[in-house]
Structure formats: structure tokens, C-alpha cells
Amino acid sequence: MTRYADIPKPIRSGIVVVDPDTGAPQRVIVLQFNPDTLERSVAPQSAGDGADAGGGGTGSGDRNEALRLKGPAQETWKFTAEIDATDQFEIAAPDGIHPQLATLEMLVQPTTAQLRAASRLSQKGAIEISPIEMPLTLFTWGSKRVMPVRLTELSVNESAFDVNLNPIRASLSVGLKILTVSDLPAGHRGADLYLAHLAQKERLAAAARGGSTGGLGLAGTNAFTGRG
């Protein structure tokens, strides 16, 4: 009997396309390999950003707004994903990894039906045609990170091909923007999912062990009152 039978199977990260009205998953994209690294950027929406309020300082905004936020922070994720058909010999791949690549590319492409419908409206003399709305996309990285996103970058480096020139190995550079309540209309399912994601952050922050002022080399409270 193998000694490795009890090793838990790793959870895969992935992308889920859901119906924004019903919440039903329309497509689940499981990444073949979890990325080795994640690059995350979190930028606050500060209310005080703007011109110098004067007073001889070097500030760049209204001093009365320095500690205020206009809304949720803008967060972006970047990672590199690998797709390799040669690592899945048990799965038939007559088209190589074309289907996997096409699935990801369709996250930023309208369908032919949507484009034809827009073309028919244009031919009928429609003055204004609304931009095509894409399905709601979620990125999942374990159960504690499920968030609505928009794909902002998809760079594909195909590095191996079969005899029919179908790609069989590729490296993908993926960029995502987390969609917040500032990006989505009130009542949208994505806005509710973002609030659930933010609430999860709050729970994790509450579980963190607090430090002490002594660990910072500070004694008493005078250091925080501005009094000597």
C-alpha cells in the first residue's frame, strides 16, 4: 500500500462564469496548475487627492479629507498560468489546448450572435446601441477568496505544438481587476459577492493577533497624544 494515499488533493484555483440574474454557473474554468506566485496591488480611493490646499506644506489635497475614503480600494491581481496537454495523456486532445485557450479568450470577446444582433440594430438605423454586456466572472483562490473580476490582460506564449500545429503547451500572463460596489450597479449580484469578499477580509483581519506598543519601543500613550 502506498504511503502517500492520505496526502490531500490540492484545491485548484479557477474562474467561474455565472448568470448575474440567477447566480447559476455557466462555465467553470479550472486552472491545470496553480500559479506559483500572485502579484496583488491595492490602491486606496482617497478623498483628499487633488491640488495643494496651501499653508506652505507639501500635501496634494484638502487637509480636511486626508483620512477619508471615497470608496473601496482598487485591487488588481496578476499571475502566470501554465497549460500543458502532455501532462494529461489520459485526456484526448485532438485540438491540442486550443479549447482551453479559446475559453479564456471568450471572457473578453462578445459572441458572434451578440455582434450580429448589434449589426442588425445598426442597419435598422438605431441611433444608440448599448455596449454588449458580458457574463459575470468570478475568480476563485480557495474558499476565502471568491471575488467578481474583469479580465484586463491575457498574454499567451505558446511554446510547443503537435504535428498539426495545434498548441500543446502555453504560458498565460493573466491580469484581473476586482470589481467593487463602485464598479457595479446597486443590487447587482457581483456587488453582493464583492461585499461578501470584503466581509471575509474583515473576519481574517479580526483574527490577527494584535501587537503591543512596547514591541515598538514606545511606552505609555504620550507618543499618540502629541504631548511630550
Side-chain angles (χ1 to χ4, degrees):
M1 179 181 295
T2 177
R3 297 178 59 186
Y4 304 103
D6 295 333
I7 296 179
K9 186 176 181 180
I11 294 174
R12 297 296 181 192
S13 56
I15 296 172
V16 183
V17 180
V18 302
D19 185 307
D21 295 323
T22 66
Q26 296 179 329
R27 183 180 293 272
V28 178
I29 303 170
V30 180
L31 297 183
Q32 185 179 357
F33 307 106
N34 285 330
D36 292 328
T37 61
L38 290 173
E39 179 184 345
R40 300 196 300 119
S41 174
V42 183
Q45 291 197 73
S46 302
D49 292 344
D52 189 353
T58 58
S60 60
D62 185 345
R63 68 187 68 183
N64 295 319
E65 303 292 331
L67 299 180
R68 296 182 182 274
L69 296 174
K70 294 184 291 185
Q74 298 295 300
E75 184 174 354
T76 59
W77 288 45
K78 291 184 179 181
F79 60 87
T80 299
E82 307 287 338
I83 303 178
D84 191 347
T86 64
D87 193 65
Q88 297 177 315
F89 285 117
E90 71 281 5
I91 301 176
D95 299 315
I97 59 173
H98 270 310
Q100 294 94 318
L101 295 177
T103 299
L104 289 170
E105 291 175 37
M106 287 308 298
L107 294 177
V108 293
Q109 294 273 17
T111 65
T112 54
Q114 289 171 322
L115 290 173
R116 285 171 177 159
S119 178
R120 286 193 296 269
L121 288 174
S122 177
Q123 291 172 2
K124 291 179 180 179
I127 297 177
E128 182 177 353
I129 300 175
S130 299
I132 296 171
E133 183 173 358
M134 299 299 289
L136 176 61
T137 304
L138 308 179
F139 179 65
T140 71
W141 186 271
S143 61
K144 295 180 178 63
R145 288 172 168 174
V146 179
M147 63 214 94
V149 298
R150 180 174 66 237
L151 193 67
T152 58
E153 176 187 342
L154 179 60
S155 178
V156 182
N157 182 10
E158 300 176 0
S159 57
F161 305 87
D162 63 16
V163 294
N164 295 316
L165 293 185
N166 294 310
I168 57 175
R169 185 184 303 123
S171 175
L172 312 174
S173 295
V174 181
L176 302 170
K177 179 186 184 300
I178 310 303
L179 298 178
T180 73
V181 292
S182 297
D183 302 307
L184 298 164
H188 193 282
R189 187 173 299 273
D192 293 337
L193 288 167
Y194 171 75
L195 290 175
H197 168 63
L198 186 59
Q200 178 65 62
K201 283 181 181 286
E202 293 171 355
R203 287 190 291 270
L204 291 172
R209 294 182 58 186
S212 67
T213 57
L216 301 175
L218 303 174
T221 61
N222 286 345
F224 307 106
T225 62
R227 300 172 182 174

